[in-house]
Amino acid sequence: MTTTQTSVVQDLGTLAHGLSHPARTRCVCELPQVLADRPDGTVVRSGAIVAKAHAADTDHEALAARIALAAAPQLTGILLPPLTGPGQSLVAPGPSGGPQHPGPSEPSAPAPRPVTLWPLGAPVDPTDPEAAPWAEAAVLLARLHRTVPPFRLPAMRGPAKAARAVARMRAALPGDPAVLPVLAGWRALPAWARGEVPAPARRAGFLCHGDLHLGQLVRHPAPDGPWLLIDVDDAGTGDPAWDLGRPAAWYAAGLLAPEDWFAFLDAYRSAGGPAVPADADPWPELDVPARALTVQTAALALTKCAVEQRHPDEHEQLMIESCARIATLPPELAADHAS
């Protein structure tokens, strides 16, 4: 961990601890716990408070809109609400090591990494795959997609994240033939799925999460409250099929059991989700997002392998091989979806 990363983690821990620890009482708190530490998000927990430092290149205005979305009454019971309102949620780690808080009427100071504050939730247990809440996730997605955006929002960032993953892979493995199947799958996608143009108008106005996977669900209040979606960094308006794309890709690659996929799809349809037809073949709508998220997953896997100086594991290799297959598939489904 670099000195800068250490400073960010310490500042987040200090901030979360200060909010979770009762004033003027003897401290017997556990040390702050790092839940994630990546360039696009460092997350630290102290007690029942979670502090997240977002990416350095975060669009502050777009993030404020997304935080306001998570706090909006229309999203109660769907998205985990923040602990701070949109006017107070952007906090800069201070240059001297302590966090700086903008006052109620002050604009946020320019910050390397804006910070938001959240209540602690209980995540999905990775050691109990049979209890994975696929149906619950699908119902939350359907409710999200059916919600009319309460105010103007930025575009869902799913395609932009896929493009970033491919760019990172290229930078990490310049000239390496291992990237060729992934790049072939990438080039076979329509421009909107590569983040180069907006999504087709008929599919672009839905409220979307933008980065759905089981790590984006928590129970709140912990440990037995209802499931809620977290992490609105990529939320916005777009094609709702994108939010189904990752489980669809895993199912197509053989990484998600058929019974889990059909439980997810059936629950989404039963809850009135608009991403796929209620009683017809879902793949004309899912094909492009599933291909794009296959490429994204493979690109991230190769980048991670390069950093860790190792070969892809079995699951990573399956996604890379899937890229080679999708590059050879006929483009009819992509053309139908983009029309």
Side-chain angles (χ1 to χ4, degrees), residues 205-305:
F206 294 88
L207 192 52
C208 301
H209 182 273
D211 188 29
L212 188 279
H213 53 80
L214 290 183
Q216 306 290 35
L217 283 91
V218 297
R219 286 189 180 276
H220 181 74
D224 300 316
W227 290 105
L228 297 172
L229 293 169
I230 64 170
D231 190 357
V232 292
D233 287 28
D234 304 304
T237 53
D239 184 348
W242 195 276
D243 285 341
L244 281 67
R246 185 176 272 111
W250 290 348
Y251 166 66
L255 296 178
L256 182 62
E259 55 268 27
D260 290 331
W261 165 246
F262 289 114
F264 175 83
L265 186 61
D266 290 347
Y268 182 83
R269 285 170 152 166
S270 296
V276 295
D279 54 5
D281 183 3
W283 285 99
E285 301 300 342
L286 296 180
D287 178 67
V288 168
R291 293 190 196 204
L293 284 157
T294 297
V295 171
Q296 176 181 319
T297 303
L300 291 173
L302 283 174
T303 302
K304 186 176 182 181
C305 289

Side-chain angles (χ1 to χ4, degrees), residues 151-173:
F151 41 77
R152 185 176 178 85
L153 288 163
M156 177 265 293
R157 292 184 63 246
K161 285 196 72 169
R164 177 176 290 192
V166 171
R168 287 179 59 194
M169 178 191 69
R170 283 174 158 151
L173 294 162

Side-chain angles (χ1 to χ4, degrees), residues 82-198:
L83 290 176
T84 47
Q88 299 172 306
S89 61
L90 301 185
V91 184
S96 61
Q100 296 175 338
H101 300 265
S105 60
E106 301 173 27
S108 269
R113 296 180 69 176
V115 174
T116 52
L117 304 170
W118 305 87
L120 178 70
V124 174
D125 183 355
T127 67
D128 190 8
E130 292 185 2
W134 285 110
E136 292 87 342
V139 171
L140 288 171
L141 280 184
R143 292 177 59 197
L144 179 70
H145 296 163
R146 287 174 18 225
T147 301
V148 176
F151 41 77
R152 185 176 178 85
L153 288 163
M156 177 265 293
R157 292 184 63 246
K161 285 196 72 169
R164 177 176 290 192
V166 171
R168 287 179 59 194
M169 178 191 69
R170 283 174 158 151
L173 294 162
D176 193 315
V179 307
L180 294 179
V182 182
L183 292 179
W186 182 244
R187 286 191 292 266
L189 293 169
W192 76 264
R194 299 195 300 264
E196 296 168 3
V197 300

Side-chain angles (χ1 to χ4, degrees), residues 1-17 31-38 41-46 51-53 93 97 99 113 115:
M1 187 181 293
T2 67
T3 301
T4 301
Q5 287 174 305
T6 301
S7 175
V8 169
V9 167
Q10 290 175 342
D11 286 348
L12 291 175
T14 299
L15 176 60
H17 177 261
L31 291 174
Q33 177 186 5
V34 179
L35 302 180
D37 188 18
R38 303 182 303 271
T42 300
V43 184
V44 177
R45 168 219 175 168
S46 181
K52 178 175 181 177
R113 296 180 69 176
V115 174

